[in-house]
Amino acid sequence: SIAVQTRQLTKNFGSKLAVDHLDLTVAEGEFFGFLGPNGAGKSTTIKMLVGLLRPTSGTAYIAGHDVWRDPMATKSLVGVLPEGMNLYERLKGREFVEFAGTMYGINSKDVRSRTEELLDLLDLEDAAENMIVDYSQGMRKKIGLAAALIHAPKVLFLDEPFEGVDAISVRIIRNVLTQLRATGTTIFFSSHIMEVVQRL
């Protein structure tokens, strides 16, 4: 079945055409590389697909749900690691992931156990009690990914996830993505670097 679909998806910013009548289909369980140079409209497309930016025209669907007509159903199905992450820097790493889980309506017992599982998986246990303001770029990406995965989304959107990230964090994130893929999660991954997409 189809995880992500767009029909004639278009976005104008004044006279600038950022996304031009995009037709796109991503199958369930696919690892989809969304490749293009900076300024090509990748982030704008992702923002429209996850309900953060309203299209000028056209439609977007997640697992058959219209993103803009059925926003609550759509948002429960997706996880997002945006390019310019705005994290709550005065929260500790563990608090941030638990907060995200609570926002998704997960009960407190499951929030705690899933948080520990994700902190372990992403090698963040040692930093879990530190404030995010003190995190490196790689740690920020990993804690952002943990928060994006806390509700076990069907579709994961990653916007330039390896930008400015150290080699060890890259390897950890790649391993997590491989495991997610094995469980049937659809991964929609944007990058402007061909080599990164080819490797994945």
Side-chain angles (χ1 to χ4, degrees):
S1 58
I2 295 168
V4 181
Q5 187 167 37
T6 69
R7 292 196 187 130
Q8 299 289 290
L9 194 65
T10 303
K11 183 64 184 178
N12 296 315
F13 294 103
S15 60
K16 180 177 171 12
L17 181 59
V19 178
D20 186 8
H21 296 86
L22 177 67
D23 286 325
L24 186 70
T25 304
V26 180
E28 197 177 303
E30 193 173 344
F31 201 139
F32 185 84
F34 196 46
L35 187 67
N38 289 329
K42 301 186 301 297
S43 294
T44 301
T45 300
I46 287 174
K47 283 176 184 165
M48 289 191 284
L49 287 170
V50 300
L52 288 173
L53 189 63
R54 194 175 281 281
T56 305
S57 62
T59 43
Y61 303 91
I62 302 289
H65 297 275
D66 185 315
V67 172
W68 289 95
R69 288 203 173 139
D70 199 354
M72 290 304 279
T74 305
K75 284 172 182 162
S76 69
L77 295 171
V78 302
V80 191
L81 185 65
E83 187 180 18
M85 290 181 300
N86 289 317
L87 303 174
Y88 294 103
E89 296 199 334
R90 293 287 163 194
L91 290 182
K92 295 171 182 172
R94 179 178 280 110
E95 288 173 338
F96 177 67
V97 181
E98 288 180 348
F99 167 73
T102 306
M103 291 299 287
Y104 278 110
I106 302 166
N107 72 61
S108 58
K109 183 168 155 287
D110 287 345
V111 164
R112 280 197 300 274
S113 65
R114 284 193 201 176
T115 297
E116 293 314 311
E117 203 178 297
L118 286 163
L119 291 172
D120 179 43
L121 194 61
L122 288 156
D123 196 30
L124 284 166
E125 280 180 315
D126 291 349
E129 290 304 310
N130 298 349
M131 281 193 178
I132 290 171
V133 71
D134 297 325
Y135 276 20
S136 68
Q137 182 68 3
M139 287 160 69
R140 283 165 180 258
K141 289 277 187 184
K142 291 191 293 181
I143 206 74
L145 182 58
L149 292 175
I150 187 79
H151 61 302
K154 293 239 180 299
V155 186
L156 178 64
F157 289 92
L158 305 162
D159 196 359
E160 300 278 4
F162 300 138
E163 196 77 0
V165 176
D166 61 277
I168 292 168
S169 295
V170 167
R171 191 166 70 239
I172 289 165
I173 293 169
R174 280 173 60 184
N175 290 344
V176 169
L177 298 184
T178 306
Q179 288 177 43
L180 286 169
R181 175 94 195 279
T183 64
T185 306
T186 305
I187 299 169
F188 190 105
F189 172 99
S190 93
S191 179
H192 64 280
I193 303 166
M194 184 67 164
E195 181 201 355
V196 169
V197 177
Q198 279 179 321
R199 270 213 317 269
L200 285 162

